Amino acid sequence: MGTHSIKLTINGKHYVEEVESRILLSDFIRENCGLTGTHVGCEHGVCGACTVIVNGTAVRSCLMFAVQTDGEEIQTVEGLSQDGELTPLQQNFKECHGLQCGFCTPGILMSAQDYLAKNPEPSTQELKEMLSGHLCRCTGYDGILKAIQKTVDENKQLALTEGS
Ligand code: FES
Ligand code: FES
């Protein structure tokens, strides 16, 4: 089995690693880089638990090989909070009971972060459609939806305040 040298950045840290061509990005992130916040559920692109952001786009890391990310910039859930401060989205998940076991949470946070960056004022229906790409067996999605909706509302309020 051939190996390849790859260079990439994860959460601002540079990595140079020798990897087998068959290694999935999700396994590389967890096992080579020790970033176990990225969860692996189905390994078939269905559950969304493994979602990370590659060059500004949310992707399912179980559907990519690590070698495909040579030269890329990746953000995982560990890269969201800075200096121990939760992001507003994370804080709202906490306040709105957007998680129970937490298995689905990192993937949903990464998808929602990417989605809101590109669609700052989504409708509730659009948020539901975004969430339809993630499986959560615990919450019934209600708290998750509330947390994301609250973040949208806060962002709108902030934009109004800054514009006034
Ligand atoms: S583990 Fe990647 S989508 Fe389920
Ligand atoms: S909180 Fe348990 S799977 Fe979503």
Side-chain angles (χ1 to χ4, degrees):
M1 184 73 63
T3 64
H4 303 267
S5 178
I6 59 170
K7 287 183 197 174
L8 68 165
T9 306
I10 305 182
N11 303 331
K13 183 176 170 188
H14 300 294
Y15 292 83
V16 181
E17 295 275 331
E18 195 72 22
V19 293
E20 286 184 15
S21 41
R22 66 184 175 86
I23 296 295
L24 296 173
L25 178 60
S26 50
D27 292 334
F28 174 78
I29 288 170
R30 290 176 55 85
E31 290 164 25
N32 293 54
C33 308
L35 296 167
T36 54
T38 298
H39 293 161
V40 174
C42 65
E43 286 191 283
H44 286 92
V46 175
C47 73
C50 66
T51 304
V52 299
I53 296 178
V54 177
N55 282 350
T57 298
V59 302
R60 293 179 182 221
S61 59
C62 72
L63 294 184
M64 285 187 82
F65 292 112
V67 291
Q68 290 177 281
T69 60
D70 186 23
E72 313 284 33
E73 278 198 31
I74 296 175
Q75 187 183 31
T76 69
V77 71
E78 289 90 344
L80 288 181
S81 69
Q82 299 295 322
D83 302 323
E85 283 279 313
L86 297 179
T87 64
L89 182 63
Q90 288 175 307
Q91 187 63 36
N92 287 333
F93 264 70
K94 185 177 166 193
E95 285 173 19
C96 300
H97 307 290
L99 67 153
Q100 288 181 29
C101 80
F103 193 85
C104 67
T105 314
I108 296 179
L109 284 171
M110 301 316 285
S111 278
Q113 146 115 352
D114 176 46
Y115 189 82
L116 295 186
K118 292 168 182 160
N119 307 284
E121 298 194 8
S123 66
T124 303
Q125 184 56 33
E126 286 172 325
L127 290 180
K128 285 182 181 174
E129 281 166 19
M130 184 272 290
L131 279 175
S132 70
H134 289 268
L135 297 182
C136 174
R137 65 182 181 175
C138 307
T139 64
Y141 299 91
D142 197 42
I144 296 172
L145 189 60
K146 274 191 192 136
I148 302 174
Q149 187 69 65
K150 184 163 185 269
T151 308
V152 170
D153 294 343
E154 286 171 356
N155 287 346
K156 276 190 208 164
Q157 195 55 46
L158 197 62
L160 281 177
T161 313
E162 283 173 353
S164 63

